[in-house]
Amino acid sequence: MKKLASLLMAVLALAMVNAGCATKTVAEPELTISTNKGDIVVKLYNETPIHRDNFLRLAETGALDSTLFHRVIKDFMIQGGDPDSRGAAPGVFLGEGEVGEPLPAEFRYPKLFHKRGVLAAAREGDDVNPERKSSGSQFYIVWGKTFETDSLLDARYEQTKRMGTAPIADEVREAYRTLGGTPHLDGIYTVFGEVVSGLEVVDSIQNVATDENDRPIEDVVVTSIKINK
């Protein structure tokens, strides 16, 4: 009987451990995007595991080291991840390169939306990409604008509704009013992370001078992307 009681207690203890593991929240990985303008620390959302794991692979392999933020639009976003931008001559048009294959969309609106500072995946347009698959490597960090009133926010939505933008949820309105962002991209581009420190670096980059193709006149270099241990 003692042996049976001991065995039952061991089984019960194992079950409790397994139950604890099943409910344990997996920490969101953080990475440092180092640039010649300063460091940007981002965390990746577990709600978008395909994009999370892909970005971690890009960091582990150094696939985007020494590339550029090749497309910068003030009050909108900064975009990088084109492998062809590595060592590109001044004035060369960029934005066609990619590492790996396109990723299936992982829209998680309204929980994940285009507030200022989020990390999202670039992609080709709907005309050639109706499934709205993400680029295998190109990404952008949102800056955007603030919307002081609901009417301004709703007007922005109405302008882009033809693109299939998701309606603006009540719970995200306050963020767009106070923090800012790009609500017209919600539901059509995958958001998969956000800046946790270094937003001032993003601000600095989004203010640089650019040419007619939105490429910075002076290169903004992603020197490395490293996983924080």
Side-chain angles (χ1 to χ4, degrees), residues 31-35 55-69 81-87 99 137 139 220-227:
L31 305 91
T32 298
I33 302 173
S34 296
T35 80
F55 205 71
L56 289 172
R57 282 193 295 270
L58 293 171
E60 288 173 341
T61 59
L64 302 184
D65 292 357
S66 301
T67 58
L68 305 179
F69 274 109
D82 180 355
D84 296 341
S85 69
R86 187 183 288 109
V99 178
S137 61
F139 65 92
V220 180
V221 183
V222 177
T223 55
S224 68
I225 303 178
K226 301 295 184 184
I227 301 171

Side-chain angles (χ1 to χ4, degrees), residues 50-51 54 57 98 101-105 121 132-137:
I50 296 173
H51 286 71
N54 182 69
R57 282 193 295 270
E98 186 170 14
E101 299 296 323
L103 309 175
R132 293 172 172 165
K133 292 182 178 180
S134 300
S135 166
S137 61

Side-chain angles (χ1 to χ4, degrees), residues 15-130:
M16 292 176 66
V17 170
N18 289 338
C21 290
T23 58
K24 183 179 179 180
T25 301
V26 178
E28 294 173 314
E30 292 190 0
L31 305 91
T32 298
I33 302 173
S34 296
T35 80
N36 59 341
K37 296 286 188 180
D39 289 350
I40 305 166
V41 179
V42 298
K43 69 176 181 180
L44 307 182
Y45 298 138
N46 290 326
E47 292 90 344
T48 50
I50 296 173
H51 286 71
R52 176 199 63 201
D53 293 348
N54 182 69
F55 205 71
L56 289 172
R57 282 193 295 270
L58 293 171
E60 288 173 341
T61 59
L64 302 184
D65 292 357
S66 301
T67 58
L68 305 179
F69 274 109
H70 64 272
R71 183 171 178 243
V72 172
I73 303 176
K74 182 176 172 58
D75 294 330
F76 183 36
M77 58 89 225
I78 64 174
Q79 182 174 333
D82 180 355
D84 296 341
S85 69
R86 187 183 288 109
V92 171
F93 176 78
L94 299 168
E96 301 296 328
E98 186 170 14
V99 178
E101 299 296 323
L103 309 175
E106 292 183 291
F107 305 142
R108 300 292 182 265
Y109 182 84
K111 183 172 184 180
L112 306 181
F113 59 98
H114 280 78
K115 64 183 179 181
R116 179 167 293 170
V118 297
L119 177 67
R123 65 172 178 83
E124 293 187 313
D126 289 0
D127 54 337
V128 296
N129 179 28

Side-chain angles (χ1 to χ4, degrees), residues 82-227:
D82 180 355
D84 296 341
S85 69
R86 187 183 288 109
V92 171
F93 176 78
L94 299 168
E96 301 296 328
E98 186 170 14
V99 178
E101 299 296 323
L103 309 175
E106 292 183 291
F107 305 142
R108 300 292 182 265
Y109 182 84
K111 183 172 184 180
L112 306 181
F113 59 98
H114 280 78
K115 64 183 179 181
R116 179 167 293 170
V118 297
L119 177 67
R123 65 172 178 83
E124 293 187 313
D126 289 0
D127 54 337
V128 296
N129 179 28
E131 295 179 342
R132 293 172 172 165
K133 292 182 178 180
S134 300
S135 166
S137 61
Q138 291 201 38
F139 65 92
Y140 60 93
I141 300 175
V142 169
W143 191 259
K145 298 180 179 180
T146 56
F147 296 81
E148 296 178 357
T149 66
D150 281 342
S151 61
L152 288 173
L153 194 53
D154 290 336
R156 184 58 166 155
Y157 166 62
E158 288 298 326
Q159 291 172 10
T160 57
K161 187 162 57 176
R162 61 185 173 79
M163 296 176 63
T165 306
I168 300 170
D170 290 340
E171 58 266 34
V172 305
R173 286 181 179 272
E174 185 64 19
Y176 284 134
R177 280 195 293 260
T178 59
L179 184 62
T182 55
H184 63 289
L185 300 182
D186 287 338
I188 55 177
Y189 288 80
T190 295
V191 172
F192 66 96
E194 67 177 81
V195 173
V196 295
S197 70
L199 197 59
E200 71 281 0
V201 178
V202 179
D203 187 19
S204 174
I205 295 171
Q206 67 104 20
N207 274 293
V208 301
T210 57
D211 64 17
E212 64 275 12
N213 293 316
D214 301 316
R215 177 177 169 179
I217 301 298
E218 296 184 4
D219 286 346
V220 180
V221 183
V222 177
T223 55
S224 68
I225 303 178
K226 301 295 184 184
I227 301 171

